Amino acid sequence: MEDTEIIELYWQRSQQAITETDDKYGRQLHALSQKILYNQEDSEECVNDTYHAAWNTIPPKRPEFFFAYLAKIARNFCFGKLDYQKAKKRDALVVELSTELENCISAPDDYTRKLESEEIGRIISEFLHTQTEQMRKVFVRRYWYMDSITDIAKAYNMSDSKVKSILFRMRGKLREHLEEEGIAL
């Protein structure tokens, strides 16, 4: 079923919307949650919470990119659960990925910096649109979906070192772009 048809089911308040969402994106949402939480039960709970949140937000929202919308919700639930469970101690992979980007982006630590983080998100999106499709995909797979270097290399038929090189160069370009946009680092 197409995304627009699934979203229409939400607008009609049909319970089938959840079933169709799970059929189409359940496996991907579970995999994403599992990469963050490393716990099947917690991952399942976050995916179910994602479906519930989609039910409560569609309508009034009509997401243009349905999977990205669901993935954002799922990630937020997963990181919330991770914060709760580990009292703000991040999993080793999350720490690794954060460390890779910390020279580009300073992490917001309070509500007043939320607006700045939204602005950074907009600037990063602009930056990614200036990159080639392949570079964009590598960056998003690494920093949004938290895929390993090896998984990305296999997916795009590259060596691990090529993926690392792409990411290194993109982080440098991103840092320059953020500085040009006036984001203090």
Side-chain angles (χ1 to χ4, degrees), residues 9-63:
L9 290 173
Y10 281 97
W11 277 78
Q12 295 169 3
R13 306 313 288 164
S14 170
Q15 291 288 331
Q16 185 183 357
I18 303 295
T19 304
E20 295 295 335
T21 301
D22 187 54
D23 288 348
K24 187 164 185 181
Y25 294 119
R27 183 175 289 158
Q28 292 168 287
L29 291 171
H30 281 36
L32 176 62
S33 297
Q34 189 68 22
K35 286 178 186 175
I36 297 169
L37 297 170
Y38 297 105
N39 181 293
Q40 185 62 36
E41 293 81 20
D42 289 343
S43 296
E44 183 71 31
E45 181 181 339
C46 286
V47 171
N48 288 335
D49 289 345
T50 299
Y51 296 152
H52 186 256
W55 181 262
N56 288 332
T57 58
I58 305 172
K61 293 185 179 181
R62 191 178 287 272

Side-chain angles (χ1 to χ4, degrees), residues 82-172:
L82 198 62
D83 282 343
Y84 176 77
Q85 291 174 341
K86 300 196 177 187
K88 300 200 183 220
K89 292 180 185 174
R90 293 284 189 206
D91 179 271
L93 176 62
V94 176
V95 170
E96 175 189 343
L97 295 178
S98 297
T99 302
E100 287 179 12
L101 286 178
E102 74 183 357
N103 291 328
C104 299
I105 307 164
S106 56
D109 56 5
D110 60 20
Y111 181 76
T112 59
R113 296 186 64 193
K114 183 177 187 303
L115 291 176
E116 182 179 316
S117 68
E118 288 173 0
E119 178 69 6
I120 290 171
R122 183 191 62 74
I123 293 169
I124 290 172
S125 290
E126 286 176 359
F127 166 76
L128 290 174
H129 280 89
T130 67
Q131 303 301 304
T132 66
E133 181 178 357
Q134 182 182 47
M135 291 177 76
R136 226 180 7 252
K137 286 180 177 180
V138 167
F139 190 90
V140 170
R141 295 265 314 251
R142 181 67 174 157
Y143 298 115
W144 180 259
Y145 295 111
M146 303 174 72
D147 286 350
S148 70
I149 299 289
T150 302
D151 289 344
I152 296 168
K154 287 178 185 173
Y156 298 112
N157 200 25
M158 299 179 197
S159 67
D160 286 7
S161 61
K162 170 119 176 153
V163 172
K164 289 177 186 176
S165 176
I166 288 171
L167 292 169
F168 178 79
R169 279 189 252 116
M170 285 189 73
R171 287 192 305 269

Side-chain angles (χ1 to χ4, degrees), residues 4 7-9 11 57-66 69:
T4 54
I7 292 168
E8 191 57 39
L9 290 173
W11 277 78
T57 58
I58 305 172
K61 293 185 179 181
R62 191 178 287 272
E64 186 177 349
F65 302 103
F66 190 46
Y69 181 76

